[in-house]
Amino acid sequence: MRTAVVVALLGLGAFAVAAGLVLQLHTYPLLAKLQHDIDSVTISEGEGVTAVVYPPGGGMPEVRHNLRLTATTHVEGDLAAPEVKENGDVTVWKRATIVKEDSDKLVLSAEVRKICLDRRTGEAVAPCHGEFYETERGKRVTAEGPQLLQPGLNFVFPFDTEQRDHRWYDTVLKRPVDIHFAGEQLLQGLDVYRFTHTIPQTALDRFAVPGSLVGSPEPSVDVTQYYGVSRTLLVEPTTGAVLSVREDIRQELRTSTQDEGEGTPVFAGELRLTNASVTANVDQVRQNLPKLFVITALPVVLWVAGAALVAIGLVLLLVWRRGLVAGALALVIGACLAGAITYGVTDASDPDDSLDLKNVVSSSNVDYGLR
């Protein structure tokens, strides 16, 4: 009876410790990664917005006030990209965003971007075949060689997001900007991190516009476009998923004699994800969190419990002075059994196994609405 107790304690302890090690060293790297086949649509809305609108039929651009806007963003995985490989470290995502005013359905802005991402950190990586961004039809900017065209975080934060500054890529400035950890809060019952930053009014391009757009009698006026934004992101830290986005955007055209606030507004207003989009993001994370619990918190529980069982078994082995050979076998069998079972279950759960990456013809086509 005493030998059986020692064998049971040592076998179970070895099983727990070994299972925790496999979960940490094999399962976590295999499963905690961005998916190749993402396909999601989110909607942002804004009310009372001032913006420049381009009337249909080639009419002169004009400033309109109190607009209601809808911004639709579609993110999809480019499975045909050469960087996309089963259990590879890099994935390729394409994002299309189109902003329309609701009354006449006129397009205010649109863009499409393609980026290679590190599947664990969410950082843009290079070289990236075919990386680009495009905000006007026919004027696509592409990466060259090892150049990082859109560096920093673009879509998500790293798994196990830390409470520190991160580099978030701003699509208007075309460069990453520090975004700061600003605290924790609840979002529909989920603990999330809040990240914020404010980009002050920054000069962009200088170009000529019709005088009528900026209140001048001249047929053409040289102006400088300025841009600033206050941005708030709510991030689920375990997955790094961005659940909610709010952006208060201010853009204006200034002549050489105008100061901040004296120019013509190109865009002035706030866009934020709709409640429906936030809820959909939260629901998706709720589905993923139990899987991540298994590969993040469970290994620690298994190590502690397993170590305690092994310690008790060894103490009893020394006190009772019997069952030495059986105890040693129990340790070996328990560890081997845990490794085999955990390894097999992990491989069977690998989402990359369900993708037929060899027979992909092309990614799906999206109407990006570029003018």
Side-chain angles (χ1 to χ4, degrees):
M1 180 65 180
R2 292 180 177 181
T3 300
V5 171
V6 170
V7 167
L9 289 172
L10 293 178
L12 288 174
F15 186 96
V17 172
L21 285 173
V22 174
L23 287 174
Q24 179 69 29
L25 300 178
H26 176 66
T27 308
Y28 185 84
L30 192 67
L31 301 185
K33 60 190 179 186
L34 299 179
Q35 64 188 99
H36 283 317
D37 58 340
I38 187 171
D39 189 355
S40 69
V41 176
T42 55
I43 307 294
S44 296
E45 292 179 339
E47 294 184 352
V49 177
T50 296
V52 169
V53 173
Y54 295 80
M60 298 293 286
E62 58 188 58
V63 177
R64 295 185 184 178
H65 304 277
N66 294 317
L67 296 175
R68 180 179 175 85
L69 307 183
T70 298
T72 304
T73 297
H74 184 185
V75 178
E76 60 180 353
D78 187 355
L79 300 183
E83 293 84 2
V84 174
K85 297 178 175 62
E86 184 176 338
N87 294 321
D89 295 327
V90 177
T91 192
V92 182
W93 287 3
K94 187 157 52 178
R95 188 183 86 168
T97 299
I98 183 169
V99 182
K100 294 182 178 181
E101 57 87 26
D102 290 357
S103 60
D104 297 327
K105 306 301 180 184
L106 299 178
V107 176
L108 272 64
S109 65
E111 69 165 14
V112 58
R113 308 163 58 203
K114 178 179 174 180
I115 312 173
C116 294
L117 305 171
D118 185 291
R119 299 183 75 184
R120 293 176 178 84
T121 68
E123 292 270 354
V125 295
C128 181
H129 178 78
E131 180 185 7
F132 70 87
Y133 63 81
E134 185 175 359
T135 57
E136 188 174 348
R137 191 179 299 279
K139 295 185 178 181
R140 178 169 293 188
V141 178
T142 58
E144 298 179 2
Q147 172 190 5
L148 260 177
L149 188 63
Q150 301 163 90
L153 302 174
N154 285 263
F155 300 95
V156 298
F157 280 63
F159 284 90
D160 296 321
T161 299
E162 298 179 0
Q163 297 180 1
R164 60 173 176 82
D165 289 358
H166 293 266
R167 300 284 282 170
W168 186 259
Y169 181 80
D170 187 278
T171 59
V172 177
L173 295 180
K174 302 295 188 295
R175 59 179 172 85
V177 181
D178 282 342
I179 191 163
H180 315 291
F181 174 73
E184 301 179 54
Q185 67 180 73
L186 281 177
L187 178 66
Q188 299 185 13
L190 276 182
D191 292 316
V192 299
Y193 291 173
R194 185 173 64 256
F195 289 91
T196 64
H197 65 193
T198 297
I199 298 174
Q201 287 291 308
T202 304
L204 302 176
D205 301 326
R206 186 166 181 82
F207 47 83
V209 298
S212 59
L213 180 62
V214 294
S216 171
E218 300 295 328
S220 178
V221 177
D222 289 334
V223 296
T224 299
Q225 183 174 0
Y226 283 79
Y227 161 80
V229 63
S230 292
R231 181 177 287 119
T232 299
L233 308 178
L234 299 184
V235 178
E236 197 291 308
T238 303
T239 62
V242 178
L243 305 181
S244 176
V245 180
R246 182 191 63 78
E247 295 178 310
D248 188 0
I249 304 167
R250 306 288 159 172
Q251 295 190 62
E252 66 176 358
L253 303 177
R254 300 184 207 167
T255 65
S256 58
T257 62
Q258 291 177 319
D259 293 324
E260 182 175 342
E262 297 178 349
T264 300
V266 175
F267 191 102
E270 182 179 279
L271 289 173
R272 63 171 64 200
L273 278 186
T274 63
N275 290 334
S277 289
V278 172
T279 298
N281 291 338
V282 169
D283 290 344
Q284 182 63 50
V285 166
R286 287 190 193 280
Q287 293 178 21
N288 293 331
L289 280 178
K291 304 173 188 175
L292 288 177
F293 170 81
V294 172
I295 57 178
T296 54
L298 186 57
V300 177
V301 174
L302 290 173
W303 292 334
V304 173
L309 290 174
V310 170
I312 295 172
L314 291 175
V315 169
L316 294 179
L317 190 63
L318 293 174
V319 172
W320 291 339
R321 299 181 181 277
R322 65 176 63 185
L324 180 61
V325 174
L329 286 174
L331 285 171
V332 174
I333 293 173
C336 292
L337 191 61
I341 293 175
T342 309
Y343 199 98
V345 171
T346 296
D347 287 354
S349 305
D350 184 5
D352 283 9
D353 286 346
S354 63
L355 302 178
D356 185 6
L357 299 177
K358 294 181 180 179
N359 298 310
V360 176
V361 177
S362 64
S363 297
S364 60
N365 239 348
V366 179
D367 177 11
Y368 299 114
L370 297 175
R371 284 191 294 271

